[in-house]
Amino acid sequence: MNSCRLMEWLSEMGETDIWDEPMSIQAVQKSNVVTLQELRALMEQVDSPLKQCATNMVFGVGNEHANVLLLGEAPGAEEDKQGLPFVGQSGQLLDKMLAAIGLDRSMVYITNILPWRPPGNRTPTSEEIALFLPYVLKHISIISPKIVVCLGGTATKALLQKNDGIVRLRGRWTKVEGMSARVIATFHPAYLLRSPSQKREAWIDFLQIKSALASIN
Ligand code: URA
């Protein structure tokens, strides 16, 4: 059994103490990290079994001074190969959604809850989300966007700390304690590829983002 499969197996058996305790939100926030380079270096040291299974860490990409930060779930196969977020099929749809409200990748910043691809694209576990959430919050505080867009249920539930599904949580502006940005959730582009009839709802969410941006600029 290779080390990736072994880690997955131990994890399924509930053996979660085989890797480091997660660094607390306060510890990451208080760390000396102030730049994206420093954050990347800190994340590269995180001891997660996901690392054993992935090819590349997928950190984040885009305009470091963007007003809008898009937060996805985790890299897929293509993202893992290229080390960049949203470069596969769902990324192509995301580009079209951004273009529809006059944005492109040079105007936004994109990152994910998990920086390493879960094997077989499985849904991230709550332990994995808890491990990386402090780094996500630090990432957001370094970029300091005015608007955070959660793409899909995993990013939304993690950031808002809610258990409701995306259908209930999407399309509403929310505040997250300690974060100056306004947060809105919408459907994940991969879900929209599977359920195109929901694109109408996503469009309504993107129109809200457009008008919020117009009031900032
Ligand atoms: N899905 C995500 O949530 N993030 C990516 O980077 C790619 C697909």
Side-chain angles (χ1 to χ4, degrees), residues 58-120:
V58 176
F59 180 69
V61 77
N63 185 333
E64 298 177 11
H65 307 287
N67 281 330
V68 181
L69 181 145
L70 297 140
L71 182 62
E73 176 175 314
E78 199 51 41
E79 289 77 18
D80 180 50
K81 214 185 285 172
Q82 296 190 35
L84 292 168
F86 283 99
V87 287
Q89 264 199 322
S90 51
Q92 286 163 22
L93 178 56
L94 181 60
D95 287 343
K96 287 186 193 158
M97 292 160 77
L98 289 172
I101 57 165
L103 297 176
D104 63 35
R105 289 204 181 211
S106 71
M107 302 156 95
V108 299
Y109 189 87
I110 308 179
T111 188
N112 283 307
I113 294 286
L114 298 190
W116 284 291
R117 180 194 184 210

Coordinates of all heavy atoms in Angstrom, one line a residue, residues 58-120:
V58 N -1.9 23.9 -4.2 CA -2.6 24.9 -4.9 C -2.9 26.0 -3.9 O -3.7 25.9 -3.0 CB -3.9 24.4 -5.6 CG1 -4.6 25.5 -6.3 CG2 -3.5 23.3 -6.5
F59 N -2.1 27.2 -4.0 CA -2.2 28.2 -3.0 C -3.3 29.2 -3.4 O -4.3 29.2 -2.7 CB -0.8 28.8 -3.0 CG -0.7 30.0 -2.0 CD1 -0.7 29.7 -0.6 CD2 -0.5 31.3 -2.4 CE1 -0.6 30.7 0.3 CE2 -0.4 32.3 -1.5 CZ -0.4 32.0 -0.1
G60 N -3.0 30.0 -4.3 CA -4.0 31.0 -4.7 C -3.5 31.8 -5.9 O -2.3 31.7 -6.2
V61 N -4.3 32.5 -6.6 CA -3.8 33.2 -7.8 C -4.7 34.5 -8.0 O -5.8 34.5 -7.6 CB -3.8 32.3 -9.0 CG1 -5.3 32.1 -9.6 CG2 -2.9 32.8 -10.1
G62 N -4.1 35.5 -8.7 CA -4.9 36.6 -9.1 C -4.3 37.9 -8.5 O -3.1 38.0 -8.2
N63 N -5.2 38.9 -8.5 CA -4.8 40.3 -8.1 C -4.7 40.4 -6.6 O -5.7 40.2 -5.9 CB -5.8 41.2 -8.7 CG -5.5 42.7 -8.5 OD1 -4.8 43.0 -7.5 ND2 -6.0 43.5 -9.3
E64 N -3.5 40.6 -6.1 CA -3.3 40.7 -4.6 C -4.0 41.9 -4.0 O -4.1 42.0 -2.8 CB -1.8 40.6 -4.3 CG -1.2 39.4 -4.8 CD 0.3 39.3 -4.6 OE1 0.9 40.2 -3.9 OE2 0.9 38.4 -5.2
H65 N -4.4 42.8 -4.8 CA -5.2 44.0 -4.3 C -6.6 44.0 -4.7 O -7.3 45.0 -4.7 CB -4.5 45.3 -4.8 CG -3.0 45.3 -4.6 ND1 -2.5 45.5 -3.3 CD2 -2.0 45.1 -5.4 CE1 -1.2 45.4 -3.4 NE2 -0.8 45.2 -4.6
A66 N -7.1 42.8 -5.0 CA -8.5 42.7 -5.6 C -9.5 43.1 -4.5 O -9.3 42.8 -3.3 CB -8.7 41.3 -6.0
N67 N -10.6 43.6 -5.0 CA -11.8 43.9 -4.1 C -12.6 42.6 -3.9 O -13.4 42.5 -2.9 CB -12.7 44.9 -4.7 CG -12.2 46.3 -4.5 OD1 -11.5 46.6 -3.5 ND2 -12.5 47.2 -5.5
V68 N -12.4 41.6 -4.8 CA -13.2 40.4 -4.7 C -12.3 39.2 -4.6 O -11.4 39.0 -5.4 CB -14.1 40.2 -6.0 CG1 -14.9 38.9 -5.9 CG2 -15.0 41.4 -6.2
L69 N -12.6 38.4 -3.5 CA -11.8 37.1 -3.4 C -12.8 36.0 -3.5 O -13.9 36.0 -2.9 CB -11.2 37.1 -2.0 CG -10.3 35.8 -1.7 CD1 -9.1 36.2 -0.8 CD2 -11.2 34.8 -1.0
L70 N -12.5 35.1 -4.4 CA -13.4 33.9 -4.6 C -12.8 32.7 -3.9 O -11.6 32.4 -4.0 CB -13.5 33.6 -6.1 CG -14.2 34.7 -6.9 CD1 -13.5 34.9 -8.2 CD2 -15.7 34.5 -7.1
L71 N -13.7 32.0 -3.1 CA -13.2 30.9 -2.2 C -13.8 29.6 -2.7 O -15.0 29.5 -2.5 CB -13.5 31.2 -0.8 CG -13.0 30.2 0.3 CD1 -11.5 30.1 0.3 CD2 -13.5 30.7 1.7
G72 N -13.0 28.7 -3.2 CA -13.5 27.4 -3.7 C -13.3 26.3 -2.6 O -13.0 26.6 -1.4
E73 N -13.5 25.1 -3.0 CA -13.4 24.0 -2.1 C -12.0 23.4 -2.0 O -11.4 23.5 -0.9 CB -14.4 22.9 -2.5 CG -14.4 21.7 -1.7 CD -15.5 20.7 -2.1 OE1 -16.7 21.1 -2.3 OE2 -15.2 19.5 -2.3
A74 N -11.6 22.8 -3.1 CA -10.3 22.1 -3.1 C -9.9 21.9 -4.5 O -10.8 21.9 -5.4 CB -10.4 20.8 -2.4
P75 N -8.6 21.8 -4.8 CA -8.2 21.5 -6.2 C -8.7 20.2 -6.7 O -8.9 19.2 -6.0 CB -6.6 21.4 -6.1 CG -6.3 21.9 -4.7 CD -7.5 21.8 -3.8
G76 N -9.0 20.2 -8.0 CA -9.3 18.9 -8.7 C -8.1 18.4 -9.4 O -7.0 18.9 -9.2
A77 N -8.3 17.5 -10.3 CA -7.2 16.8 -11.0 C -6.3 17.8 -11.8 O -5.1 17.8 -11.7 CB -7.7 15.7 -11.9
E78 N -6.9 18.7 -12.5 CA -6.2 19.6 -13.4 C -5.5 20.7 -12.5 O -4.3 21.0 -12.8 CB -7.2 20.3 -14.4 CG -6.6 20.9 -15.6 CD -5.6 20.0 -16.3 OE1 -5.9 18.8 -16.5 OE2 -4.5 20.5 -16.7
E79 N -6.1 21.1 -11.5 CA -5.5 22.1 -10.6 C -4.3 21.5 -9.9 O -3.3 22.1 -9.7 CB -6.5 22.6 -9.5 CG -7.7 23.4 -10.0 CD -8.7 22.7 -10.8 OE1 -8.9 21.5 -10.6 OE2 -9.5 23.3 -11.6
D80 N -4.4 20.2 -9.5 CA -3.3 19.5 -8.8 C -2.1 19.4 -9.8 O -1.0 19.6 -9.4 CB -3.8 18.1 -8.4 CG -2.8 17.3 -7.7 OD1 -2.2 17.8 -6.8 OD2 -2.6 16.1 -8.1
K81 N -2.4 19.1 -11.0 CA -1.4 19.0 -12.0 C -0.7 20.3 -12.3 O 0.6 20.4 -12.3 CB -2.0 18.6 -13.4 CG -1.1 17.6 -14.2 CD -1.7 17.3 -15.5 CE -2.9 16.3 -15.5 NZ -3.6 16.2 -16.7
Q82 N -1.5 21.4 -12.4 CA -0.9 22.7 -12.7 C -0.5 23.6 -11.5 O 0.2 24.6 -11.6 CB -1.8 23.5 -13.5 CG -2.2 22.9 -14.9 CD -2.9 23.9 -15.8 OE1 -2.7 25.1 -15.7 NE2 -3.8 23.4 -16.6
G83 N -1.0 23.2 -10.3 CA -0.7 24.0 -9.1 C -1.4 25.3 -9.1 O -1.0 26.3 -8.4
L84 N -2.5 25.4 -9.8 CA -3.3 26.7 -9.8 C -4.8 26.4 -9.6 O -5.3 25.3 -10.1 CB -3.1 27.3 -11.2 CG -1.7 27.9 -11.5 CD1 -1.6 28.2 -13.0 CD2 -1.5 29.1 -10.7
P85 N -5.5 27.3 -8.9 CA -6.9 27.0 -8.7 C -7.8 27.3 -9.9 O -7.5 28.1 -10.8 CB -7.3 28.0 -7.6 CG -6.3 29.1 -7.7 CD -5.1 28.5 -8.3
F86 N -8.9 26.5 -10.0 CA -9.9 26.7 -11.1 C -9.3 26.8 -12.5 O -9.6 27.8 -13.2 CB -10.8 27.9 -10.7 CG -11.8 27.6 -9.6 CD1 -11.5 27.9 -8.3 CD2 -13.0 26.9 -9.9 CE1 -12.5 27.6 -7.3 CE2 -13.9 26.6 -8.9 CZ -13.6 26.9 -7.6
V87 N -8.5 25.8 -12.9 CA -8.0 25.8 -14.3 C -8.7 24.7 -15.1 O -8.4 24.5 -16.2 CB -6.5 25.7 -14.3 CG1 -5.8 27.0 -13.9 CG2 -6.0 24.5 -13.5
G88 N -9.5 23.9 -14.4 CA -10.2 22.8 -15.1 C -11.6 23.3 -15.7 O -11.8 24.5 -15.9
Q89 N -12.5 22.3 -15.9 CA -13.8 22.7 -16.5 C -14.6 23.7 -15.7 O -15.2 24.6 -16.2 CB -14.6 21.4 -16.6 CG -14.5 20.7 -17.9 CD -15.7 19.7 -18.0 OE1 -16.1 19.1 -17.1 NE2 -16.2 19.6 -19.2
S90 N -14.6 23.5 -14.4 CA -15.3 24.4 -13.5 C -14.7 25.8 -13.6 O -15.4 26.8 -13.5 CB -15.6 23.9 -12.1 OG -14.4 23.5 -11.5
G91 N -13.4 25.9 -13.7 CA -12.7 27.1 -13.9 C -13.1 27.9 -15.1 O -13.3 29.1 -15.1
Q92 N -13.4 27.1 -16.2 CA -13.8 27.7 -17.4 C -15.2 28.4 -17.3 O -15.5 29.5 -17.8 CB -13.8 26.7 -18.6 CG -12.4 26.4 -19.0 CD -12.3 25.1 -19.8 OE1 -13.3 24.7 -20.4 NE2 -11.2 24.5 -19.9
L93 N -16.1 27.6 -16.5 CA -17.4 28.2 -16.3 C -17.3 29.4 -15.4 O -17.9 30.5 -15.6 CB -18.3 27.2 -15.7 CG -19.7 27.7 -15.3 CD1 -20.4 28.3 -16.5 CD2 -20.6 26.6 -14.7
L94 N -16.4 29.3 -14.4 CA -16.2 30.5 -13.5 C -15.8 31.7 -14.3 O -16.2 32.8 -14.0 CB -15.2 30.1 -12.4 CG -14.9 31.2 -11.4 CD1 -16.1 31.6 -10.6 CD2 -13.8 30.7 -10.4
D95 N -14.8 31.5 -15.2 CA -14.4 32.7 -16.1 C -15.6 33.3 -16.8 O -15.7 34.5 -16.9 CB -13.4 32.2 -17.1 CG -12.0 31.9 -16.5 OD1 -11.8 32.4 -15.3 OD2 -11.2 31.2 -17.1
K96 N -16.5 32.5 -17.3 CA -17.7 33.0 -18.0 C -18.6 33.8 -17.0 O -19.2 34.8 -17.4 CB -18.5 31.9 -18.6 CG -17.8 31.3 -19.8 CD -18.7 30.3 -20.5 CE -17.9 29.5 -21.5 NZ -18.5 28.2 -21.9
M97 N -18.7 33.2 -15.8 CA -19.6 33.9 -14.8 C -19.0 35.3 -14.5 O -19.7 36.3 -14.3 CB -19.7 33.0 -13.6 CG -20.5 31.7 -13.9 SD -20.2 30.4 -12.6 CE -21.2 31.0 -11.3
L98 N -17.7 35.3 -14.3 CA -17.0 36.6 -14.0 C -17.2 37.5 -15.1 O -17.5 38.7 -14.9 CB -15.5 36.3 -13.7 CG -15.2 35.6 -12.4 CD1 -13.7 35.2 -12.3 CD2 -15.6 36.4 -11.2
A99 N -17.0 37.0 -16.4 CA -17.1 37.9 -17.5 C -18.4 38.5 -17.6 O -18.6 39.7 -18.1 CB -16.7 37.1 -18.8
A100 N -19.5 37.8 -17.3 CA -20.8 38.2 -17.3 C -21.1 39.5 -16.5 O -22.0 40.2 -16.7 CB -21.8 37.1 -17.0
I101 N -20.3 39.7 -15.4 CA -20.4 40.9 -14.6 C -19.2 41.8 -14.8 O -18.9 42.6 -13.9 CB -20.7 40.6 -13.1 CG1 -19.6 39.7 -12.5 CG2 -22.1 39.9 -13.0 CD1 -19.6 39.7 -11.0
G102 N -18.5 41.6 -15.9 CA -17.4 42.6 -16.2 C -16.1 42.3 -15.5 O -15.3 43.2 -15.4
L103 N -15.9 41.1 -15.0 CA -14.7 40.8 -14.3 C -13.8 39.8 -15.0 O -14.4 39.0 -15.8 CB -15.0 40.3 -12.9 CG -15.7 41.2 -11.9 CD1 -16.0 40.5 -10.6 CD2 -14.9 42.5 -11.6
D104 N -12.6 39.8 -14.8 CA -11.7 38.7 -15.3 C -10.7 38.4 -14.2 O -10.7 39.0 -13.1 CB -11.0 39.0 -16.6 CG -10.1 40.2 -16.5 OD1 -9.4 40.4 -15.5 OD2 -10.0 41.0 -17.5
R105 N -9.9 37.4 -14.5 CA -9.0 36.9 -13.4 C -8.0 37.9 -12.9 O -7.5 37.8 -11.8 CB -8.3 35.7 -13.9 CG -9.2 34.5 -13.9 CD -8.5 33.2 -13.8 NE -9.5 32.2 -13.9 CZ -9.4 31.0 -13.4 NH1 -8.3 30.7 -12.7 NH2 -10.3 30.1 -13.5
S106 N -7.7 38.9 -13.8 CA -6.7 40.0 -13.3 C -7.4 40.9 -12.3 O -6.7 41.7 -11.7 CB -6.2 40.8 -14.5 OG -7.3 41.6 -15.0
M107 N -8.7 40.8 -12.1 CA -9.4 41.7 -11.2 C -9.8 41.1 -9.9 O -10.4 41.7 -9.1 CB -10.6 42.3 -11.9 CG -10.3 43.0 -13.2 SD -11.7 43.0 -14.4 CE -12.4 44.6 -14.0
V108 N -9.6 39.8 -9.8 CA -10.1 39.0 -8.6 C -8.9 38.2 -8.1 O -7.9 38.0 -8.7 CB -11.3 38.1 -8.9 CG1 -12.5 38.9 -9.4 CG2 -10.9 37.0 -9.9
Y109 N -9.1 37.7 -6.9 CA -8.1 36.7 -6.3 C -8.9 35.4 -6.0 O -10.1 35.5 -5.6 CB -7.5 37.3 -5.0 CG -6.4 36.5 -4.5 CD1 -5.1 36.7 -5.0 CD2 -6.6 35.4 -3.6 CE1 -4.0 35.9 -4.5 CE2 -5.5 34.6 -3.2 CZ -4.3 34.9 -3.6 OH -3.2 34.1 -3.2
I110 N -8.3 34.3 -6.3 CA -9.0 33.0 -6.1 C -8.1 32.1 -5.3 O -6.9 31.9 -5.5 CB -9.2 32.3 -7.5 CG1 -9.9 33.3 -8.5 CG2 -10.1 31.1 -7.3 CD1 -10.2 32.7 -9.9
T111 N -8.8 31.5 -4.3 CA -8.1 30.4 -3.5 C -9.2 29.4 -3.1 O -10.3 29.5 -3.4 CB -7.4 31.0 -2.3 OG1 -6.6 30.0 -1.7 CG2 -8.3 31.7 -1.3
N112 N -8.7 28.4 -2.3 CA -9.6 27.3 -1.9 C -9.5 27.1 -0.4 O -8.5 27.5 0.2 CB -9.2 26.0 -2.6 CG -9.6 25.9 -4.0 OD1 -10.8 26.1 -4.4 ND2 -8.6 25.7 -4.9
I113 N -10.5 26.3 0.1 CA -10.4 25.9 1.5 C -9.2 25.0 1.7 O -8.4 25.2 2.6 CB -11.7 25.2 2.0 CG1 -12.9 26.2 2.0 CG2 -11.5 24.6 3.3 CD1 -12.8 27.2 3.1
L114 N -9.0 24.0 0.9 CA -7.9 23.1 1.0 C -6.9 23.4 -0.1 O -7.2 23.6 -1.3 CB -8.3 21.6 0.8 CG -9.3 21.0 1.8 CD1 -9.4 19.5 1.5 CD2 -9.0 21.3 3.2
P115 N -5.6 23.4 0.2 CA -4.6 23.6 -0.8 C -4.1 22.4 -1.5 O -3.3 22.5 -2.4 CB -3.4 24.2 0.0 CG -3.6 23.6 1.4 CD -5.0 23.3 1.6
W116 N -4.5 21.2 -1.0 CA -4.1 20.0 -1.7 C -5.4 19.2 -2.1 O -6.4 19.2 -1.4 CB -3.3 19.1 -0.7 CG -1.9 19.6 -0.6 CD1 -0.9 19.5 -1.6 CD2 -1.3 20.2 0.5 NE1 0.3 20.1 -1.1 CE2 0.1 20.5 0.2 CE3 -1.7 20.5 1.8 CZ2 1.0 21.1 1.1 CZ3 -0.8 21.1 2.7 CH2 0.5 21.4 2.3
R117 N -5.3 18.5 -3.2 CA -6.4 17.8 -3.7 C -6.7 16.6 -2.9 O -5.9 15.7 -2.7 CB -6.1 17.3 -5.2 CG -7.2 16.5 -5.8 CD -6.7 15.8 -7.0 NE -7.8 15.2 -7.7 CZ -7.7 14.1 -8.4 NH1 -6.5 13.5 -8.6 NH2 -8.7 13.5 -9.0
P118 N -8.0 16.4 -2.4 CA -8.3 15.2 -1.8 C -8.4 14.0 -2.8 O -8.8 14.2 -3.9 CB -9.8 15.5 -1.2 CG -10.0 16.9 -1.3 CD -9.1 17.4 -2.5
P119 N -7.8 12.9 -2.4 CA -7.8 11.8 -3.4 C -9.1 11.5 -4.0 O -10.1 11.4 -3.3 CB -7.3 10.6 -2.5 CG -6.7 11.2 -1.3 CD -7.3 12.5 -1.1
G120 N -9.1 11.3 -5.3 CA -10.3 11.0 -6.0 C -11.4 12.1 -6.0 O -12.5 11.9 -6.2

